[in-house]
Amino acid sequence: MPEATDPNISPSSKFCEFSKLSEQAAEWAVCLSGNQVTSKQRTDFETWLAQDPRHREAYEQVDALWNSVTIRKHWPHTGVKTLIGILVLIGCFYGFPFSQWLADVRTGTGEIRRITLADGSHITLDSGSAVDIAYDPRQRRIILHRGRLLAEVEPDSSRTQRPFIVETRDGTAQALGTRYTVEQTDHDSIVNVLESQVAVATHIHPHQSVTLQAGQSVRMDDGQLQQPEAASPFAASWTQARLIYQDVPLTLVIDDLSRYRNGFLKMNKQAAQLRFTGVLPTDDPAAALSILENALPIHIKQYGGWLTWIDTPT
């Protein structure tokens, strides 16, 4: 394990360019499990821990996970930590979602959960979402690793008036009011403001923020903020187990429905060109597909329990 040249993030400068906190913590755990830990590595590690309370939390989570492996009882301590650490790091390089597995709160397929936070604020997590909750004396931060959430923010009663921030892979959304949704997809992040205002900025340009008003939406991708647009008036309908659409592409509808069911939901090019207006239940995916089949000129075919294919009549 090479010594850290930049203790701000991780022992490996190449790795830290794209790793998240959990992956950084995993690499430190591997580094420190060896027998040849240098004094500089130990100092760099302590510096990394001190820079942000989330660093220590991430390291403790990873270390606890590894220590819980039962095979550790039969193997030497260093060997097991190094072996598991290598597997973790290989997984990180190939995109395995360790940060999601280690998240403070996760929701399963079809599960929608409303959580009361320490300050009286609430977050509602959609199906298949994962977040870390990082409250400290300086800030109230929710780190969204996957999925989407609705934030309902209460004023901070502490003397420092800590900001409330939702962070995604692409940037941050700081509450200047009460209610907004944040979503992280495979390619971008989307913020919809339902009430008051939200300041949105990317990680690459944190000082170049845009302030969204109620009824506005913005997308962050490739380190850039797109132009704000009108938000859907139904952006938070999923919190009531309903998806409401008004003349939207069927591809968007199918992407949404895929959150609430197992298996693959695919369509042909002709079906993808259709548009839909209506209401679909999230707690009954089969009924939602039936509604689509009755409303649009499509056929839906099931192949085993894992593939659902949507096409148009020939």
Side-chain angles (χ1 to χ4, degrees):
M1 186 75 184
E3 293 188 8
T5 57
D6 180 0
N8 291 332
I9 299 178
S10 165
S12 169
S13 58
K14 179 179 179 180
F15 181 74
C16 76
E17 290 176 356
F18 62 91
S19 64
K20 297 296 184 181
L21 285 181
S22 295
E23 286 79 12
Q24 296 167 17
E27 191 174 358
W28 273 120
V30 176
C31 174
L32 299 177
S33 68
N35 294 324
Q36 304 297 323
V37 180
T38 67
S39 59
K40 183 178 187 304
Q41 286 175 319
R42 175 63 64 179
T43 300
D44 288 350
F45 172 65
E46 295 297 336
T47 301
W48 180 80
L49 287 180
Q51 286 172 344
D52 192 318
R54 294 175 298 161
H55 291 183
R56 184 175 296 277
E57 293 172 3
Y59 179 78
E60 290 176 350
Q61 286 180 332
V62 170
D63 197 50
L65 177 65
W66 293 352
N67 288 339
S68 68
V69 177
T70 56
I71 192 174
R72 179 177 176 270
K73 297 178 180 178
H74 307 289
W75 283 29
H77 175 82
T78 299
V80 170
K81 268 202 166 183
T82 302
L83 173 61
I84 298 175
I86 290 172
L87 295 176
V88 168
L89 294 179
I90 290 174
C92 294
F93 277 107
Y94 283 90
F96 291 175
F98 288 102
S99 59
Q100 298 172 20
W101 297 345
L102 296 172
D104 293 336
V105 184
R106 294 172 292 165
T107 52
T109 301
E111 179 186 8
I112 297 175
R113 190 189 312 177
R114 189 169 189 257
I115 300 165
T116 301
L117 302 174
D119 63 336
S121 298
H122 295 86
I123 55 173
T124 302
L125 302 185
D126 198 4
S127 170
S129 298
V131 299
D132 281 329
I133 301 171
Y135 274 35
D136 63 41
R138 295 175 296 136
Q139 63 183 352
R140 300 173 291 168
R141 185 176 293 262
I142 307 298
I143 304 166
L144 179 63
H145 296 292
R146 180 184 64 192
R148 61 183 170 186
L149 62 80
L150 167 67
E152 300 169 279
V153 184
E154 293 292 331
D156 187 31
S157 59
S158 70
R159 189 177 305 174
T160 56
Q161 292 294 295
R162 299 169 298 173
F164 186 99
I165 299 169
V166 178
E167 177 182 346
T168 73
R169 171 195 59 234
D170 301 291
T172 59
Q174 179 175 337
L176 304 177
T178 51
R179 299 177 71 240
Y180 62 109
T181 68
V182 182
E183 176 179 358
Q184 178 170 288
T185 74
D186 291 339
H187 310 290
D188 56 21
S189 298
I190 304 166
V191 180
N192 295 290
V193 182
L194 307 179
E195 294 179 10
S196 196
Q197 299 175 319
V198 174
V200 181
T202 65
H203 289 309
I204 294 179
H205 304 290
H207 301 297
Q208 300 176 11
S209 65
V210 59
T211 299
L212 300 180
Q213 309 296 321
Q216 287 189 308
S217 174
V218 75
R219 184 184 303 270
M220 294 180 280
D221 55 22
D222 296 327
Q224 300 296 322
L225 275 174
Q226 304 304 316
Q227 287 297 316
E229 300 178 347
S232 167
F234 315 114
S237 64
W238 55 268
T239 62
Q240 304 300 318
R242 293 292 182 269
L243 299 174
I244 304 176
Y245 301 102
Q246 186 172 5
D247 191 32
V248 301
L250 186 58
T251 51
L252 174 62
V253 177
I254 296 306
D255 284 346
D256 278 344
L257 283 181
S258 296
R259 302 173 186 268
Y260 304 98
R261 60 194 309 279
N262 294 315
F264 298 97
L265 188 55
K266 302 295 182 181
M267 71 180 81
N268 65 13
K269 293 182 180 179
Q270 290 74 27
Q273 296 174 2
L274 298 173
R275 304 182 74 86
F276 174 71
T277 296
V279 180
L280 302 177
T282 65
D283 52 0
D284 192 343
L289 290 176
S290 180
I291 291 172
L292 288 176
E293 194 168 27
N294 290 329
L296 299 172
I298 58 175
H299 289 157
I300 299 178
K301 300 177 182 179
Q302 302 280 348
Y303 296 92
W306 289 98
L307 174 62
T308 300
W309 180 254
I310 301 173
D311 61 17
T312 52
T314 55

